[in-house]
Amino acid sequence: MDRLGSISAFLQVAELGSFASAGKVMGVSGSAVSKSVSRLEDRLRVRLFNRTTRALSLTDEGREFRDRCAPILADLDDAENVMVERAAAPSGALRVGLPTALGRIKILPILGLLTSKFPDLRIDALLSDDVIDMVDAGLDVTVRIGEPRDSGLMMKRVGSVRYIVCAAPSYLARSSPPSTPDELSQYDCIQRLPHACSPDGAWKFTDLETGASFDRSVSGSLSLDSADAVIEATLAGSGLAQLHDYMAEPYLVSGELVQVLGTYAVEGPPICILYPSPRHLTPKVRAFIDIVTDNFRNRPDRSSDRQHLLEAQSDQGADTSANVAAHHRPRLVASR
């Protein structure tokens, strides 16, 4: 046996208590195991076992060597298993937990791509904004917004939420867009209830030019307890709203909403994938992590080009009136 084989034989003997039993597990004779362990002892220049005709026991050196080697071989086994699993196709049932809006808008559309690629995979998705214990819920993997509290889980950050201010072209046709957050007091601002993080209904901002963060109190005729309702009211031209960028994105693309105050968009909480220890990570969980990571990696970053934001904001007022008529068409409803 080679060096690694001798150590493996030693660990088998230490666990099973005899050369013969270790030989049966390894598919070799007991004498071959005994000779391998003897060569290992000669190389280490220590005795690993106390041998008598009736019993076999570890020496102090043998116990120390076992305690050092066992985790190393376990890691090697895990490394082999990971490579084998990577070659296997995802299959079976995958139970995932998703935040309601983020899951519906950004993740559910790509799950069909995953099941199309792997026909033997079935996905059960639980959408909830409550913090759910993965083990109790029987989940394999979950996506959360915010810093996780589950210290026993692995975390992969895939992005973050940004808060942006938007309005419908019909509203901006009546009121030219604000140029700074200080002007928001002059506008009808749609607010979200309850104001758990901001009792006075203030909106948070970051000046991308200076990096300074600040709040501005807003007011308006509508306060709604649903993100979907806030979007519907904004699409109807009822006022300005500060929205999660992923919720506004479909309407920004279609032109049904326009972003204002782009140079003051603020970075919000992280978007994280949580999963058990990477040891024995199944192909189906790994495939889910990969596709969600790629989806957020390819997400357009509207804050990366500062000059673009400045130019877009300055051009917005001139373009809004001309575009109003073009946006009077049936609306794409992202959420119900």
Side-chain angles (χ1 to χ4, degrees):
M1 294 183 184
D2 58 14
R3 180 179 182 183
L4 191 59
S6 295
I7 295 174
S8 180
F10 158 72
L11 291 175
Q12 287 287 357
V13 175
E15 179 181 355
L16 300 175
S18 78
F19 296 118
S21 298
K24 289 180 181 179
V25 171
M26 299 179 69
V28 296
S29 66
S31 62
V33 174
S34 177
K35 290 177 182 178
S36 177
V37 172
S38 295
R39 286 194 297 270
L40 177 62
E41 290 175 320
D42 291 341
R43 187 169 65 249
L44 298 176
R45 298 180 182 178
V46 296
R47 181 169 291 277
L48 299 173
F49 291 104
N50 290 315
R51 299 166 173 82
T52 68
T53 54
R54 294 185 177 182
L56 189 70
S57 62
L58 285 166
T59 62
D60 290 341
E61 291 81 6
R63 278 189 290 270
E64 181 178 354
F65 193 62
R66 175 200 60 190
D67 294 343
R68 285 176 175 268
C69 290
I72 296 172
L73 261 65
D75 286 341
L76 289 174
D77 288 340
D78 285 338
E80 282 192 353
N81 290 334
V82 166
M83 294 300 103
V84 170
E85 288 170 354
R86 278 185 182 273
S91 61
L94 174 67
R95 288 181 53 82
V96 303
L98 305 173
T100 304
L102 179 69
R104 186 179 66 246
I105 296 169
K106 296 299 297 182
I107 300 177
L108 289 184
I110 64 174
L111 295 185
L113 300 176
L114 198 59
T115 53
S116 295
K117 184 177 181 180
F118 304 109
D120 293 330
L121 178 65
R122 188 184 81 251
I123 299 177
D124 300 332
L126 173 63
L127 278 73
S128 174
D129 292 321
D130 297 329
V131 178
I132 299 174
D133 185 282
M134 284 185 60
V135 176
D136 290 345
L139 298 176
D140 299 299
V141 62
T142 187
V143 178
R144 287 190 194 160
I145 298 174
E147 295 292 345
R149 298 177 237 172
D150 312 67
S151 59
L153 297 175
M154 302 299 295
M155 179 193 79
K156 182 171 186 177
R157 178 170 176 160
V158 295
S160 60
V161 175
R162 293 177 66 242
Y163 298 105
I164 59 177
V165 179
C166 299
S170 58
Y171 180 79
L172 296 177
R174 304 191 303 269
S175 304
S176 59
S179 57
T180 71
D182 293 328
E183 299 175 6
L184 287 174
S185 59
Q186 306 169 29
Y187 292 80
D188 202 351
C189 295
I190 304 168
Q191 298 182 76
R192 173 77 186 273
L193 292 174
H195 303 305
C197 300
S198 184
D200 60 353
W203 289 354
K204 298 182 182 297
F205 295 97
T206 298
D207 188 335
L208 297 183
E209 293 296 310
T210 65
S213 297
F214 55 92
D215 296 351
R216 288 295 179 268
S217 294
V218 298
S219 61
S221 57
L222 288 177
S223 293
L224 307 169
D225 68 349
S226 161
D228 289 347
V230 171
I231 289 180
E232 292 293 332
T234 309
L235 289 166
S238 300
L240 300 174
Q242 190 173 54
L243 305 171
H244 291 178
D245 59 343
Y246 62 83
M247 300 186 75
E249 186 175 318
Y251 307 107
L252 295 173
V253 172
S254 69
E256 295 167 279
L257 289 180
V258 176
Q259 181 179 353
V260 301
L261 300 175
T263 53
Y264 296 93
V266 61
E267 201 77 11
I271 300 171
C272 304
I273 302 176
L274 302 181
Y275 55 97
S277 168
R279 287 187 173 183
H280 308 302
L281 195 60
T282 60
K284 59 186 178 182
V285 172
R286 191 179 301 280
F288 175 84
I289 293 172
D290 289 344
I291 196 172
V292 172
T293 300
D294 290 343
N295 184 48
F296 280 94
R297 182 184 295 125
N298 297 329
R299 190 177 170 200
D301 183 3
R302 294 187 173 86
S303 67
S304 61
D305 190 341
R306 183 176 301 169
Q307 186 61 34
H308 171 74
L309 289 173
L310 289 168
E311 292 173 357
Q313 187 172 343
S314 64
D315 293 341
Q316 198 168 264
D319 294 342
T320 297
S321 297
N323 291 335
V324 171
H327 298 305
H328 283 190
R329 59 178 180 270
R331 289 187 284 112
L332 169 67
V333 179
S335 55
R336 289 293 181 191

PDB file of all heavy atoms in Angstrom, residues 280-298:
ATOM      1  N   HIS A 280     -21.191  17.734   1.036  1.00  0.00           N
ATOM      2  CA  HIS A 280     -22.313  16.942   0.519  1.00  0.00           C
ATOM      3  C   HIS A 280     -23.397  17.829  -0.081  1.00  0.00           C
ATOM      4  O   HIS A 280     -24.583  17.499  -0.013  1.00  0.00           O
ATOM      5  CB  HIS A 280     -22.901  16.052   1.619  1.00  0.00           C
ATOM      6  CG  HIS A 280     -21.898  15.206   2.318  1.00  0.00           C
ATOM      7  ND1 HIS A 280     -21.093  14.300   1.660  1.00  0.00           N
ATOM      8  CD2 HIS A 280     -21.529  15.149   3.632  1.00  0.00           C
ATOM      9  CE1 HIS A 280     -20.296  13.706   2.543  1.00  0.00           C
ATOM     10  NE2 HIS A 280     -20.525  14.211   3.725  1.00  0.00           N
ATOM     11  N   LEU A 281     -23.013  18.966  -0.656  1.00  0.00           N
ATOM     12  CA  LEU A 281     -23.973  19.828  -1.331  1.00  0.00           C
ATOM     13  C   LEU A 281     -24.484  19.095  -2.575  1.00  0.00           C
ATOM     14  O   LEU A 281     -23.706  18.700  -3.438  1.00  0.00           O
ATOM     15  CB  LEU A 281     -23.309  21.141  -1.735  1.00  0.00           C
ATOM     16  CG  LEU A 281     -24.226  22.291  -2.141  1.00  0.00           C
ATOM     17  CD1 LEU A 281     -25.153  22.670  -0.988  1.00  0.00           C
ATOM     18  CD2 LEU A 281     -23.403  23.497  -2.554  1.00  0.00           C
ATOM     19  N   THR A 282     -25.797  18.893  -2.664  1.00  0.00           N
ATOM     20  CA  THR A 282     -26.355  18.087  -3.734  1.00  0.00           C
ATOM     21  C   THR A 282     -26.321  18.847  -5.068  1.00  0.00           C
ATOM     22  O   THR A 282     -26.327  20.080  -5.089  1.00  0.00           O
ATOM     23  CB  THR A 282     -27.803  17.701  -3.413  1.00  0.00           C
ATOM     24  OG1 THR A 282     -28.578  18.900  -3.271  1.00  0.00           O
ATOM     25  CG2 THR A 282     -27.873  16.901  -2.113  1.00  0.00           C
ATOM     26  N   PRO A 283     -26.323  18.114  -6.179  1.00  0.00           N
ATOM     27  CA  PRO A 283     -26.315  18.785  -7.488  1.00  0.00           C
ATOM     28  C   PRO A 283     -27.494  19.728  -7.684  1.00  0.00           C
ATOM     29  O   PRO A 283     -27.357  20.764  -8.316  1.00  0.00           O
ATOM     30  CB  PRO A 283     -26.361  17.612  -8.469  1.00  0.00           C
ATOM     31  CG  PRO A 283     -25.762  16.460  -7.722  1.00  0.00           C
ATOM     32  CD  PRO A 283     -26.186  16.650  -6.297  1.00  0.00           C
ATOM     33  N   LYS A 284     -28.661  19.387  -7.152  1.00  0.00           N
ATOM     34  CA  LYS A 284     -29.836  20.247  -7.363  1.00  0.00           C
ATOM     35  C   LYS A 284     -29.684  21.574  -6.629  1.00  0.00           C
ATOM     36  O   LYS A 284     -30.073  22.630  -7.157  1.00  0.00           O
ATOM     37  CB  LYS A 284     -31.115  19.522  -6.919  1.00  0.00           C
ATOM     38  CG  LYS A 284     -31.148  19.099  -5.457  1.00  0.00           C
ATOM     39  CD  LYS A 284     -32.385  18.270  -5.145  1.00  0.00           C
ATOM     40  CE  LYS A 284     -32.387  17.807  -3.690  1.00  0.00           C
ATOM     41  NZ  LYS A 284     -33.574  16.965  -3.394  1.00  0.00           N
ATOM     42  N   VAL A 285     -29.105  21.557  -5.424  1.00  0.00           N
ATOM     43  CA  VAL A 285     -28.876  22.812  -4.692  1.00  0.00           C
ATOM     44  C   VAL A 285     -27.796  23.627  -5.386  1.00  0.00           C
ATOM     45  O   VAL A 285     -27.921  24.849  -5.541  1.00  0.00           O
ATOM     46  CB  VAL A 285     -28.499  22.525  -3.226  1.00  0.00           C
ATOM     47  CG1 VAL A 285     -28.074  23.819  -2.516  1.00  0.00           C
ATOM     48  CG2 VAL A 285     -29.669  21.884  -2.487  1.00  0.00           C
ATOM     49  N   ARG A 286     -26.744  22.962  -5.806  1.00  0.00           N
ATOM     50  CA  ARG A 286     -25.659  23.672  -6.488  1.00  0.00           C
ATOM     51  C   ARG A 286     -26.166  24.322  -7.785  1.00  0.00           C
ATOM     52  O   ARG A 286     -25.800  25.458  -8.110  1.00  0.00           O
ATOM     53  CB  ARG A 286     -24.513  22.705  -6.802  1.00  0.00           C
ATOM     54  CG  ARG A 286     -23.241  23.408  -7.270  1.00  0.00           C
ATOM     55  CD  ARG A 286     -22.141  22.396  -7.538  1.00  0.00           C
ATOM     56  NE  ARG A 286     -21.836  21.609  -6.354  1.00  0.00           N
ATOM     57  CZ  ARG A 286     -21.061  22.031  -5.356  1.00  0.00           C
ATOM     58  NH1 ARG A 286     -20.528  23.233  -5.423  1.00  0.00           N
ATOM     59  NH2 ARG A 286     -20.825  21.258  -4.320  1.00  0.00           N
ATOM     60  N   ALA A 287     -27.032  23.620  -8.524  1.00  0.00           N
ATOM     61  CA  ALA A 287     -27.571  24.168  -9.773  1.00  0.00           C
ATOM     62  C   ALA A 287     -28.427  25.401  -9.491  1.00  0.00           C
ATOM     63  O   ALA A 287     -28.380  26.387 -10.246  1.00  0.00           O
ATOM     64  CB  ALA A 287     -28.386  23.102 -10.508  1.00  0.00           C
ATOM     65  N   PHE A 288     -29.211  25.351  -8.415  1.00  0.00           N
ATOM     66  CA  PHE A 288     -30.037  26.511  -8.057  1.00  0.00           C
ATOM     67  C   PHE A 288     -29.167  27.707  -7.686  1.00  0.00           C
ATOM     68  O   PHE A 288     -29.407  28.832  -8.136  1.00  0.00           O
ATOM     69  CB  PHE A 288     -30.955  26.147  -6.879  1.00  0.00           C
ATOM     70  CG  PHE A 288     -31.764  27.310  -6.359  1.00  0.00           C
ATOM     71  CD1 PHE A 288     -32.957  27.668  -6.968  1.00  0.00           C
ATOM     72  CD2 PHE A 288     -31.323  28.044  -5.267  1.00  0.00           C
ATOM     73  CE1 PHE A 288     -33.706  28.736  -6.488  1.00  0.00           C
ATOM     74  CE2 PHE A 288     -32.053  29.120  -4.783  1.00  0.00           C
ATOM     75  CZ  PHE A 288     -33.250  29.461  -5.398  1.00  0.00           C
ATOM     76  N   ILE A 289     -28.139  27.466  -6.872  1.00  0.00           N
ATOM     77  CA  ILE A 289     -27.239  28.550  -6.474  1.00  0.00           C
ATOM     78  C   ILE A 289     -26.582  29.168  -7.701  1.00  0.00           C
ATOM     79  O   ILE A 289     -26.491  30.406  -7.818  1.00  0.00           O
ATOM     80  CB  ILE A 289     -26.179  28.029  -5.486  1.00  0.00           C
ATOM     81  CG1 ILE A 289     -26.832  27.621  -4.167  1.00  0.00           C
ATOM     82  CG2 ILE A 289     -25.099  29.084  -5.232  1.00  0.00           C
ATOM     83  CD1 ILE A 289     -25.896  26.921  -3.200  1.00  0.00           C
ATOM     84  N   ASP A 290     -26.152  28.336  -8.630  1.00  0.00           N
ATOM     85  CA  ASP A 290     -25.457  28.839  -9.820  1.00  0.00           C
ATOM     86  C   ASP A 290     -26.374  29.696 -10.685  1.00  0.00           C
ATOM     87  O   ASP A 290     -25.972  30.773 -11.146  1.00  0.00           O
ATOM     88  CB  ASP A 290     -24.903  27.670 -10.639  1.00  0.00           C
ATOM     89  CG  ASP A 290     -23.730  26.979  -9.963  1.00  0.00           C
ATOM     90  OD1 ASP A 290     -23.163  27.575  -9.022  1.00  0.00           O
ATOM     91  OD2 ASP A 290     -23.387  25.853 -10.356  1.00  0.00           O
ATOM     92  N   ILE A 291     -27.608  29.251 -10.918  1.00  0.00           N
ATOM     93  CA  ILE A 291     -28.476  29.991 -11.831  1.00  0.00           C
ATOM     94  C   ILE A 291     -28.945  31.303 -11.207  1.00  0.00           C
ATOM     95  O   ILE A 291     -29.067  32.329 -11.894  1.00  0.00           O
ATOM     96  CB  ILE A 291     -29.676  29.125 -12.288  1.00  0.00           C
ATOM     97  CG1 ILE A 291     -30.331  29.757 -13.523  1.00  0.00           C
ATOM     98  CG2 ILE A 291     -30.691  28.937 -11.178  1.00  0.00           C
ATOM     99  CD1 ILE A 291     -31.391  28.878 -14.170  1.00  0.00           C
ATOM    100  N   VAL A 292     -29.194  31.312  -9.889  1.00  0.00           N
ATOM    101  CA  VAL A 292     -29.596  32.559  -9.228  1.00  0.00           C
ATOM    102  C   VAL A 292     -28.428  33.535  -9.190  1.00  0.00           C
ATOM    103  O   VAL A 292     -28.594  34.740  -9.438  1.00  0.00           O
ATOM    104  CB  VAL A 292     -30.123  32.273  -7.802  1.00  0.00           C
ATOM    105  CG1 VAL A 292     -30.363  33.580  -7.046  1.00  0.00           C
ATOM    106  CG2 VAL A 292     -31.416  31.468  -7.866  1.00  0.00           C
ATOM    107  N   THR A 293     -27.232  33.028  -8.914  1.00  0.00           N
ATOM    108  CA  THR A 293     -26.048  33.891  -8.900  1.00  0.00           C
ATOM    109  C   THR A 293     -25.827  34.526 -10.270  1.00  0.00           C
ATOM    110  O   THR A 293     -25.581  35.733 -10.371  1.00  0.00           O
ATOM    111  CB  THR A 293     -24.807  33.085  -8.486  1.00  0.00           C
ATOM    112  OG1 THR A 293     -25.008  32.534  -7.178  1.00  0.00           O
ATOM    113  CG2 THR A 293     -23.563  33.973  -8.471  1.00  0.00           C
ATOM    114  N   ASP A 294     -25.927  33.727 -11.332  1.00  0.00           N
ATOM    115  CA  ASP A 294     -25.752  34.258 -12.682  1.00  0.00           C
ATOM    116  C   ASP A 294     -26.826  35.282 -13.018  1.00  0.00           C
ATOM    117  O   ASP A 294     -26.555  36.291 -13.678  1.00  0.00           O
ATOM    118  CB  ASP A 294     -25.787  33.125 -13.710  1.00  0.00           C
ATOM    119  CG  ASP A 294     -24.554  32.238 -13.640  1.00  0.00           C
ATOM    120  OD1 ASP A 294     -23.552  32.683 -13.048  1.00  0.00           O
ATOM    121  OD2 ASP A 294     -24.597  31.112 -14.157  1.00  0.00           O
ATOM    122  N   ASN A 295     -28.052  35.036 -12.557  1.00  0.00           N
ATOM    123  CA  ASN A 295     -29.152  35.946 -12.852  1.00  0.00           C
ATOM    124  C   ASN A 295     -28.895  37.327 -12.256  1.00  0.00           C
ATOM    125  O   ASN A 295     -29.112  38.349 -12.912  1.00  0.00           O
ATOM    126  CB  ASN A 295     -30.457  35.377 -12.297  1.00  0.00           C
ATOM    127  CG  ASN A 295     -31.657  36.227 -12.641  1.00  0.00           C
ATOM    128  OD1 ASN A 295     -31.860  36.625 -13.782  1.00  0.00           O
ATOM    129  ND2 ASN A 295     -32.468  36.524 -11.644  1.00  0.00           N
ATOM    130  N   PHE A 296     -28.406  37.371 -11.025  1.00  0.00           N
ATOM    131  CA  PHE A 296     -28.141  38.665 -10.390  1.00  0.00           C
ATOM    132  C   PHE A 296     -26.845  39.278 -10.893  1.00  0.00           C
ATOM    133  O   PHE A 296     -26.712  40.504 -10.936  1.00  0.00           O
ATOM    134  CB  PHE A 296     -28.114  38.515  -8.873  1.00  0.00           C
ATOM    135  CG  PHE A 296     -29.487  38.465  -8.260  1.00  0.00           C
ATOM    136  CD1 PHE A 296     -30.110  37.252  -8.020  1.00  0.00           C
ATOM    137  CD2 PHE A 296     -30.150  39.628  -7.943  1.00  0.00           C
ATOM    138  CE1 PHE A 296     -31.381  37.204  -7.477  1.00  0.00           C
ATOM    139  CE2 PHE A 296     -31.422  39.594  -7.392  1.00  0.00           C
ATOM    140  CZ  PHE A 296     -32.045  38.379  -7.154  1.00  0.00           C
ATOM    141  N   ARG A 297     -25.895  38.435 -11.297  1.00  0.00           N
ATOM    142  CA  ARG A 297     -24.638  38.971 -11.825  1.00  0.00           C
ATOM    143  C   ARG A 297     -24.882  39.696 -13.145  1.00  0.00           C
ATOM    144  O   ARG A 297     -24.230  40.691 -13.453  1.00  0.00           O
ATOM    145  CB  ARG A 297     -23.637  37.837 -12.043  1.00  0.00           C
ATOM    146  CG  ARG A 297     -22.281  38.328 -12.559  1.00  0.00           C
ATOM    147  CD  ARG A 297     -21.357  37.168 -12.851  1.00  0.00           C
ATOM    148  NE  ARG A 297     -21.010  36.440 -11.637  1.00  0.00           N
ATOM    149  CZ  ARG A 297     -21.188  35.135 -11.469  1.00  0.00           C
ATOM    150  NH1 ARG A 297     -21.731  34.423 -12.446  1.00  0.00           N
ATOM    151  NH2 ARG A 297     -20.839  34.546 -10.348  1.00  0.00           N
ATOM    152  N   ASN A 298     -25.832  39.198 -13.939  1.00  0.00           N
ATOM    153  CA  ASN A 298     -26.123  39.795 -15.234  1.00  0.00           C
ATOM    154  C   ASN A 298     -27.147  40.907 -15.165  1.00  0.00           C
ATOM    155  O   ASN A 298     -27.558  41.446 -16.180  1.00  0.00           O
ATOM    156  CB  ASN A 298     -26.636  38.711 -16.199  1.00  0.00           C
ATOM    157  CG  ASN A 298     -25.581  37.654 -16.462  1.00  0.00           C
ATOM    158  OD1 ASN A 298     -24.400  37.941 -16.442  1.00  0.00           O
ATOM    159  ND2 ASN A 298     -26.014  36.419 -16.676  1.00  0.00           N
TER     160      ASN A 298
END
